[in-house]
Amino acid sequence: MSAEAPTTMETETVASESKLESNSLPPKPKFEPLKAHEMSDGRVQFRKVSVPPHRYSPLKKYWMDIYTPIYEQMKIDIRMNLKARKVELKTRLDTPDISNLQKCADFVQAFMLGFDVADAIALLRLDELYVESFEIKDVKTLRGEHLSRAIGRLSGKGGKTKFAIENATKTRIVIADSKIHILGSFANIKIARDSLCSLILGSPAGKVYSKLRQVSARLAERF
Protein backbone atom coordinates (compact mmCIF):
# COMPACT_ATOMS: atom_id res chain seq x y z
CA MET A 1 0.00 0.00 0.00
CA SER A 2 2.85 2.34 1.00
CA ALA A 3 4.62 1.62 -2.34
CA GLU A 4 1.51 2.60 -4.44
CA ALA A 5 0.88 5.94 -2.73
CA PRO A 6 3.84 7.92 -4.12
CA THR A 7 3.07 6.89 -7.73
CA THR A 8 -0.42 8.46 -7.59
CA MET A 9 1.08 11.61 -6.11
CA GLU A 10 3.60 11.78 -8.95
CA THR A 11 0.89 11.54 -11.66
CA GLU A 12 -1.09 14.36 -10.02
CA THR A 13 1.90 16.70 -9.93
CA VAL A 14 2.73 15.99 -13.60
CA ALA A 15 -0.86 16.79 -14.63
CA SER A 16 -0.86 20.05 -12.71
CA GLU A 17 2.50 21.05 -14.30
CA SER A 18 1.13 20.44 -17.84
CA LYS A 19 -1.90 22.63 -17.04
CA LEU A 20 0.37 25.45 -15.95
CA GLU A 21 2.36 25.14 -19.20
CA SER A 22 -0.80 25.33 -21.35
CA ASN A 23 -1.98 28.42 -19.46
CA SER A 24 1.35 30.20 -19.91
CA LEU A 25 1.24 30.20 -23.78
CA PRO A 26 2.02 33.58 -25.34
CA PRO A 27 -0.99 35.56 -26.65
CA LYS A 28 -1.86 35.35 -30.36
CA PRO A 29 -0.23 38.11 -32.41
CA LYS A 30 -2.56 40.69 -33.94
CA PHE A 31 -1.58 41.80 -37.45
CA GLU A 32 -3.08 44.80 -39.16
CA PRO A 33 -4.54 44.13 -42.64
CA LEU A 34 -2.06 44.62 -45.47
CA LYS A 35 -2.47 47.59 -47.76
CA ALA A 36 -2.73 47.18 -51.54
CA HIS A 37 0.89 48.15 -52.26
CA GLU A 38 2.17 45.84 -49.47
CA MET A 39 0.39 42.79 -50.95
CA SER A 40 2.51 42.99 -54.09
CA ASP A 41 5.79 43.53 -52.16
CA GLY A 42 5.56 47.29 -52.66
CA ARG A 43 5.41 46.96 -56.46
CA VAL A 44 2.96 49.17 -58.37
CA GLN A 45 0.38 47.21 -60.38
CA PHE A 46 -0.73 48.34 -63.85
CA ARG A 47 -3.61 47.70 -66.22
CA LYS A 48 -3.91 49.00 -69.81
CA VAL A 49 -7.14 49.22 -71.81
CA SER A 50 -6.97 49.80 -75.58
CA VAL A 51 -9.17 52.56 -77.04
CA PRO A 52 -10.78 51.69 -80.40
CA PRO A 53 -10.88 54.59 -82.92
CA HIS A 54 -14.70 54.96 -82.80
CA ARG A 55 -14.64 55.46 -78.98
CA TYR A 56 -12.23 58.44 -79.02
CA SER A 57 -14.94 61.12 -79.19
CA PRO A 58 -17.16 59.54 -76.46
CA LEU A 59 -14.07 59.10 -74.24
CA LYS A 60 -13.20 62.80 -74.59
CA LYS A 61 -16.80 63.77 -73.88
CA TYR A 62 -17.24 61.60 -70.77
CA TRP A 63 -13.63 61.66 -69.49
CA MET A 64 -14.49 63.44 -66.21
CA ASP A 65 -17.40 61.04 -65.55
CA ILE A 66 -14.94 58.12 -65.90
CA TYR A 67 -12.02 59.82 -64.13
CA THR A 68 -13.87 61.02 -60.97
CA PRO A 69 -15.12 57.66 -59.55
CA ILE A 70 -11.86 55.86 -60.43
CA TYR A 71 -9.53 58.47 -58.90
CA GLU A 72 -11.58 59.71 -55.94
CA GLN A 73 -13.61 56.68 -54.83
CA MET A 74 -11.55 53.67 -55.96
CA LYS A 75 -8.21 55.48 -55.26
CA ILE A 76 -6.64 54.38 -58.56
CA ASP A 77 -4.49 56.59 -60.83
CA ILE A 78 -5.74 56.91 -64.41
CA ARG A 79 -4.36 58.61 -67.51
CA MET A 80 -4.77 58.53 -71.28
CA ASN A 81 -1.64 57.58 -73.22
CA LEU A 82 -2.19 59.30 -76.58
CA LYS A 83 0.87 57.73 -78.20
CA ALA A 84 -0.06 54.14 -77.35
CA ARG A 85 -3.83 54.87 -77.62
CA LYS A 86 -4.51 53.22 -74.29
CA VAL A 87 -6.06 54.16 -70.95
CA GLU A 88 -3.52 53.32 -68.23
CA LEU A 89 -4.46 52.50 -64.62
CA LYS A 90 -2.16 51.95 -61.65
CA THR A 91 -2.42 51.43 -57.88
CA ARG A 92 -1.48 54.11 -55.34
CA LEU A 93 -0.13 53.92 -51.78
CA ASP A 94 -3.61 54.73 -50.42
CA THR A 95 -5.50 52.21 -52.61
CA PRO A 96 -7.71 50.36 -50.06
CA ASP A 97 -8.06 47.08 -51.98
CA ILE A 98 -5.99 45.48 -54.75
CA SER A 99 -9.18 44.25 -56.51
CA ASN A 100 -10.15 47.89 -57.18
CA LEU A 101 -7.61 47.96 -60.03
CA GLN A 102 -9.32 45.10 -61.91
CA LYS A 103 -12.77 46.58 -61.24
CA CYS A 104 -11.66 49.90 -62.77
CA ALA A 105 -10.15 48.09 -65.77
CA ASP A 106 -13.47 46.23 -66.30
CA PHE A 107 -15.37 49.53 -66.01
CA VAL A 108 -13.20 51.24 -68.66
CA GLN A 109 -13.34 48.14 -70.89
CA ALA A 110 -17.17 48.11 -70.67
CA PHE A 111 -17.24 51.77 -71.75
CA MET A 112 -14.97 50.95 -74.72
CA LEU A 113 -17.37 48.18 -75.76
CA GLY A 114 -20.17 50.75 -76.04
CA PHE A 115 -22.00 50.76 -72.69
CA ASP A 116 -23.11 54.08 -71.16
CA VAL A 117 -21.08 55.39 -68.20
CA ALA A 118 -24.19 55.19 -65.98
CA ASP A 119 -24.54 51.45 -66.77
CA ALA A 120 -20.84 50.55 -66.76
CA ILE A 121 -20.24 52.26 -63.39
CA ALA A 122 -22.29 49.47 -61.76
CA LEU A 123 -19.20 47.24 -62.29
CA LEU A 124 -17.38 49.35 -59.67
CA ARG A 125 -20.19 49.11 -57.12
CA LEU A 126 -21.37 45.50 -57.45
CA ASP A 127 -19.29 42.32 -57.37
CA GLU A 128 -21.73 40.01 -59.17
CA LEU A 129 -21.72 41.79 -62.53
CA TYR A 130 -20.02 40.53 -65.67
CA VAL A 131 -19.69 41.44 -69.36
CA GLU A 132 -20.16 38.64 -71.86
CA SER A 133 -19.46 38.99 -75.59
CA PHE A 134 -20.26 36.77 -78.54
CA GLU A 135 -20.72 37.07 -82.31
CA ILE A 136 -23.69 36.18 -84.47
CA LYS A 137 -21.53 33.68 -86.41
CA ASP A 138 -20.95 31.78 -83.11
CA VAL A 139 -24.68 30.95 -83.12
CA LYS A 140 -25.34 30.60 -86.85
CA THR A 141 -23.25 31.24 -89.95
CA LEU A 142 -25.05 34.06 -91.79
CA ARG A 143 -23.84 36.19 -94.70
CA GLY A 144 -25.02 39.23 -96.64
CA GLU A 145 -28.70 40.12 -96.29
CA HIS A 146 -29.38 37.22 -93.93
CA LEU A 147 -26.91 38.74 -91.45
CA SER A 148 -28.47 42.21 -91.84
CA ARG A 149 -31.96 40.78 -91.21
CA ALA A 150 -30.72 38.93 -88.09
CA ILE A 151 -29.24 42.19 -86.67
CA GLY A 152 -32.54 43.91 -87.48
CA ARG A 153 -34.49 41.18 -85.62
CA LEU A 154 -32.22 41.61 -82.56
CA SER A 155 -32.79 45.36 -82.26
CA GLY A 156 -36.37 45.53 -83.56
CA LYS A 157 -38.14 48.67 -84.79
CA GLY A 158 -36.48 51.62 -83.03
CA GLY A 159 -34.65 49.23 -80.70
CA LYS A 160 -37.97 47.94 -79.26
CA THR A 161 -36.94 44.25 -79.06
CA LYS A 162 -33.56 45.05 -77.49
CA PHE A 163 -35.15 47.27 -74.82
CA ALA A 164 -37.79 44.62 -74.06
CA ILE A 165 -35.09 41.98 -73.46
CA GLU A 166 -33.05 44.43 -71.34
CA ASN A 167 -36.01 45.35 -69.12
CA ALA A 168 -37.23 41.77 -68.71
CA THR A 169 -33.79 40.37 -67.80
CA LYS A 170 -32.34 43.43 -65.94
CA THR A 171 -29.32 43.51 -68.27
CA ARG A 172 -27.79 45.98 -70.73
CA ILE A 173 -27.11 44.95 -74.33
CA VAL A 174 -24.84 46.52 -76.96
CA ILE A 175 -25.19 45.38 -80.58
CA ALA A 176 -22.08 46.53 -82.46
CA ASP A 177 -22.37 45.21 -86.04
CA SER A 178 -22.24 41.41 -85.68
CA LYS A 179 -20.80 41.51 -82.11
CA ILE A 180 -23.11 41.43 -79.07
CA HIS A 181 -22.09 42.47 -75.55
CA ILE A 182 -24.27 41.78 -72.48
CA LEU A 183 -23.74 43.38 -69.05
CA GLY A 184 -25.49 41.84 -66.04
CA SER A 185 -25.46 39.10 -63.42
CA PHE A 186 -24.62 35.51 -64.41
CA ALA A 187 -28.22 34.18 -64.39
CA ASN A 188 -29.65 37.25 -66.16
CA ILE A 189 -26.97 37.14 -68.89
CA LYS A 190 -27.94 33.52 -69.61
CA ILE A 191 -31.64 34.42 -70.07
CA ALA A 192 -30.80 37.42 -72.30
CA ARG A 193 -28.35 35.32 -74.35
CA ASP A 194 -30.95 32.57 -74.89
CA SER A 195 -33.48 35.15 -76.13
CA LEU A 196 -30.95 36.74 -78.50
CA CYS A 197 -29.89 33.31 -79.82
CA SER A 198 -33.56 32.45 -80.54
CA LEU A 199 -33.92 35.68 -82.54
CA ILE A 200 -30.70 34.95 -84.49
CA LEU A 201 -31.96 31.45 -85.32
CA GLY A 202 -35.14 32.95 -86.81
CA SER A 203 -37.76 32.91 -84.02
CA PRO A 204 -40.41 35.64 -84.36
CA ALA A 205 -40.23 38.42 -81.74
CA GLY A 206 -43.69 37.53 -80.35
CA LYS A 207 -42.59 34.00 -79.45
CA VAL A 208 -39.44 35.34 -77.71
CA TYR A 209 -41.54 37.89 -75.76
CA SER A 210 -43.91 35.21 -74.43
CA LYS A 211 -40.97 33.02 -73.36
CA LEU A 212 -39.35 36.04 -71.67
CA ARG A 213 -42.58 36.73 -69.78
CA GLN A 214 -42.58 33.19 -68.38
CA VAL A 215 -38.90 33.29 -67.42
CA SER A 216 -39.10 36.76 -65.81
CA ALA A 217 -42.19 35.64 -63.80
CA ARG A 218 -40.21 32.60 -62.62
CA LEU A 219 -37.28 34.84 -61.66
CA ALA A 220 -39.59 37.16 -59.69
CA GLU A 221 -40.98 34.15 -57.76
CA ARG A 222 -37.47 32.93 -56.94
CA PHE A 223 -36.42 36.26 -55.40
Side-chain angles (χ1 to χ4, degrees):
M1 288 293 285
S2 58
E4 284 175 12
T7 54
T8 51
M9 287 290 287
E10 277 172 22
T11 52
E12 280 173 16
T13 53
V14 169
S16 62
E17 277 174 17
S18 62
K19 275 182 188 174
L20 282 167
E21 280 175 16
S22 62
N23 291 338
S24 63
L25 285 170
K28 284 185 181 177
K30 287 184 181 178
F31 298 112
E32 285 186 16
L34 287 173
K35 288 175 181 161
H37 69 281
E38 291 172 335
M39 284 184 196
S40 54
D41 300 327
R43 282 181 284 117
V44 174
Q45 298 228 1
F46 285 92
R47 292 286 185 282
K48 291 180 183 182
V49 181
S50 298
V51 182
H54 69 283
R55 294 302 285 171
Y56 259 38
S57 300
L59 184 64
K60 270 186 192 173
K61 190 178 177 184
Y62 296 107
W63 177 253
M64 286 312 294
D65 296 338
I66 295 166
Y67 174 88
T68 309
I70 289 177
Y71 186 80
E72 291 181 4
Q73 289 159 27
M74 305 301 278
K75 304 275 191 274
I76 296 285
D77 281 341
I78 176 171
R79 71 173 186 183
M80 175 68 193
N81 188 333
L82 291 168
K83 213 171 192 178
R85 298 189 173 188
K86 288 179 180 179
V87 173
E88 295 178 350
L89 303 151
K90 76 177 180 74
T91 52
R92 287 159 31 188
L93 292 178
D94 60 338
T95 304
D97 190 357
I98 198 76
S99 66
N100 284 6
L101 182 64
Q102 189 56 49
K103 279 183 184 176
C104 293
D106 292 341
F107 164 52
V108 175
Q109 183 62 46
F111 179 77
M112 296 310 166
L113 291 174
F115 292 100
D116 292 336
V117 175
D119 298 330
I121 207 165
L123 286 162
L124 297 180
R125 296 191 179 133
L126 301 168
D127 288 335
E128 303 301 314
L129 287 186
Y130 306 94
V131 176
E132 186 170 313
S133 304
F134 66 96
E135 289 190 53
I136 289 173
K137 69 178 180 187
D138 297 337
V139 182
K140 192 180 183 183
T141 308
L142 297 169
R143 291 185 187 86
E145 285 185 16
H146 297 291
L147 180 62
S148 306
R149 278 198 292 272
I151 295 166
R153 272 200 306 277
L154 290 175
S155 54
K157 189 181 178 183
K160 189 175 76 173
T161 309
K162 183 174 85 89
F163 292 137
I165 294 170
E166 282 181 347
N167 294 335
T169 59
K170 296 187 179 72
T171 56
R172 285 289 173 269
I173 299 164
V174 168
I175 300 167
D177 195 24
S178 64
K179 285 197 179 87
I180 299 157
H181 312 290
I182 310 169
L183 166 69
S185 67
F186 185 77
N188 292 348
I189 284 175
K190 186 181 181 299
I191 298 160
R193 190 180 61 228
D194 290 347
S195 303
L196 292 168
C197 289
S198 301
L199 288 166
I200 291 165
L201 292 168
S203 293
K207 199 173 182 182
V208 173
Y209 288 155
S210 60
K211 201 181 281 184
L212 264 178
R213 247 178 250 123
Q214 292 169 12
V215 172
S216 54
R218 220 178 300 147
L219 268 178
E221 280 172 23
R222 194 187 296 171
F223 294 117

